Amino acid sequence: MNELITRDLHQGLLTLTFNRPDKLNALNTAMYTQLGDQLLAATEDAEVEVILLTGGPQCFCAGNDLKDFLDNPPSDMDSPVFRLMRLVMALDKPLIAAVAGPAIGIGTTLLLHCDQVLVSRSAKLRMPFVPLGLCPEFGSSLLLPRLLGHARAARLLLCNELLTGEQAVEWGLANELHEDGEQCLAAARKLAERLQALPQDALRISKRLLKDAHRQELEVTVQREGLLFIERLHTPEAKAALRALVKD
């Protein structure tokens, strides 16, 4: 199997890197499966203390692979993409994202579930679900209004607004802004070291407490969004929008 998600474990820090640079790290079914497997293994591995998710210093993730979505759309809530979502939401170990370049679609909604998000000035966040004939996913219709207020959430989810790295920090979608991707990655590793220096059981209990108050509501939202997303993928509107962007 090709390493579409590379894994590096060093002194308790597990770095998972999207590794499909020729496609700007667009996620296909195999990548969802591999990333889900890596997160499940990390949950069960006592050596893993903190998880860092990145696409490298140039590009985080260009969203879903549109051709894969047309050729192999998720059929139910057990599909790899939705399994990944459940695994991310169930993580009790800290999850840090280091974001450079494009973070599109699920490349942005994934960040809503990270405990810390660091971005470079090159970061570009966008959720083009409506232009693709689709609907929000990964709990974004719940989390974004709660985080940003309705008006700003609507600018992102309805109006396809693009946010720079600087704007992402200003709006509260990210914690820190760094000059370039290399600095962003270095800062993320330093932040991981700070978390690793803390009592680990207390850290995980505290993360669970932060998440538990809204966990059930979030799970219900992800389920509802997911079913609607699957339904939308089969509509003429979505198929036409996706085909218009897919190159053979």
Side-chain angles (χ1 to χ4, degrees):
M1 180 182 291
N2 292 331
E3 278 195 304
L4 296 170
I5 307 293
T6 64
R7 178 185 188 274
D8 177 63
L9 178 60
H10 180 68
Q11 296 181 348
L13 172 59
L14 176 64
T15 301
L16 299 175
T17 305
F18 300 127
N19 186 34
R20 202 182 177 211
D22 58 317
K23 300 293 185 180
L24 298 178
N25 295 328
L27 298 175
N28 58 19
T29 301
M31 293 177 77
Y32 283 123
T33 299
Q34 289 183 32
L35 183 55
D37 290 345
Q38 294 282 13
L39 291 178
L40 181 59
T43 299
E44 299 170 348
D45 187 347
E47 291 187 34
V48 175
E49 295 172 334
V50 178
I51 302 167
L52 170 59
L53 189 61
T54 179
Q58 302 299 325
C59 176
F60 185 66
C61 172
N64 288 298
D65 183 305
L66 301 184
K67 187 175 189 305
D68 188 61
F69 252 28
L70 278 170
D71 295 341
N72 187 33
S75 58
D76 55 42
M77 294 303 293
D78 291 323
S79 297
V81 58
F82 298 115
R83 170 182 177 254
L84 172 64
M85 292 180 185
R86 290 192 295 272
L87 288 166
V88 169
M89 292 190 293
L91 273 178
D92 65 354
K93 298 179 181 181
L95 180 62
I96 301 173
V99 181
I104 309 300
I106 196 167
T108 291
T109 58
L110 176 59
L111 304 179
L112 301 175
H113 300 269
C114 295
D115 300 295
Q116 295 286 287
V117 177
L118 285 67
V119 295
S120 73
R121 289 193 180 276
S122 69
K124 300 286 187 292
L125 282 65
R126 174 171 274 166
M127 290 168 284
F129 302 120
V130 171
L132 294 175
L134 302 171
C135 66
E137 38 90 313
F138 213 169
S140 55
S141 64
L142 172 70
L143 297 175
L144 279 171
R146 184 168 288 168
L147 179 64
L148 306 178
H150 175 83
R152 281 185 166 178
R155 288 289 289 270
L156 296 176
L157 292 176
L158 303 185
C159 303
N160 194 26
E161 185 100 347
L162 183 145
L163 288 186
T164 64
E166 184 174 3
Q167 289 171 317
V169 173
E170 289 175 357
W171 282 33
L173 288 174
N175 302 91
E176 297 180 14
L177 177 69
H178 297 276
E179 286 302 314
D180 58 41
E182 295 288 359
Q183 290 182 24
C184 184
L185 273 169
R189 294 187 184 106
K190 287 185 178 179
L191 178 56
E193 290 175 1
R194 287 174 55 190
L195 292 171
Q196 289 176 272
L198 298 170
Q200 292 300 297
D201 286 345
L203 186 64
R204 291 167 194 168
I205 290 169
S206 297
K207 171 167 176 169
R208 285 198 297 269
L209 288 170
L210 280 169
K211 300 281 189 177
D212 278 352
H214 308 290
R215 188 178 302 277
Q216 185 175 2
E217 186 180 13
L218 179 59
E219 289 172 350
V220 169
T221 300
V222 170
Q223 176 82 8
R224 176 166 171 73
E225 288 174 344
L227 292 173
L228 287 170
F229 198 96
I230 292 169
E231 180 181 304
R232 292 298 309 162
L233 280 169
H234 295 282
T235 63
E237 189 174 60
K239 287 181 178 180
L242 291 169
R243 285 181 183 135
L245 293 175
V246 169
K247 297 179 182 179
D248 294 330

